[in-house]
């Protein structure tokens, strides 16, 4: 099984780690691993903006069937 997700790091040493489990989506392009850094209102973008800009490292796993998973 291929597992994928998104890891975002702040510019300086992180204050801690946030594991963010996104809501259910049917659009593969909205999975966290597909986030490319554009300023948009997707859940991945908002979570990265909220936590990483506050100095926290963010880990957002994709669920099976999303992202790079081929099942």
């Amino acid at each position: 099984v291929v597992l994928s997700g998104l890891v975002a790091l702040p510019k300086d040493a992180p204050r801690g780690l946030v594991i963010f489990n996104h809501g259910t989506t049917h659009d593969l392009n909205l999975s966290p691993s597909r986030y490319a850094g554009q300023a948009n209102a997707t859940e991945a973008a908002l979570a990265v903006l909220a936590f990483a800009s506050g100095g926290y490292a963010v880990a957002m796993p994709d669920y099976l069937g999303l992202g790079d998973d081929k099942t």
Side-chain angles (χ1 to χ4, degrees):
V1 174
V2 175
L3 301 175
S4 58
L6 169 71
V7 173
L9 301 172
K11 287 173 53 173
D12 298 322
R15 296 179 180 186
L17 172 65
V18 173
I19 307 294
F20 187 89
N21 293 303
H22 62 87
T24 303
T25 181
H26 67 280
D27 187 348
L28 299 179
N29 292 319
L30 296 179
S31 59
S33 63
R34 301 287 171 99
Y35 177 62
Q38 297 92 345
N40 55 31
T42 63
E43 189 173 15
L46 295 174
V48 168
L49 177 63
F51 293 113
S53 67
Y56 292 89
V58 182
M60 298 177 69
D62 291 335
Y63 300 138
L64 291 178
L66 291 175
D68 293 327
D69 182 60
K70 302 293 186 228
T71 59

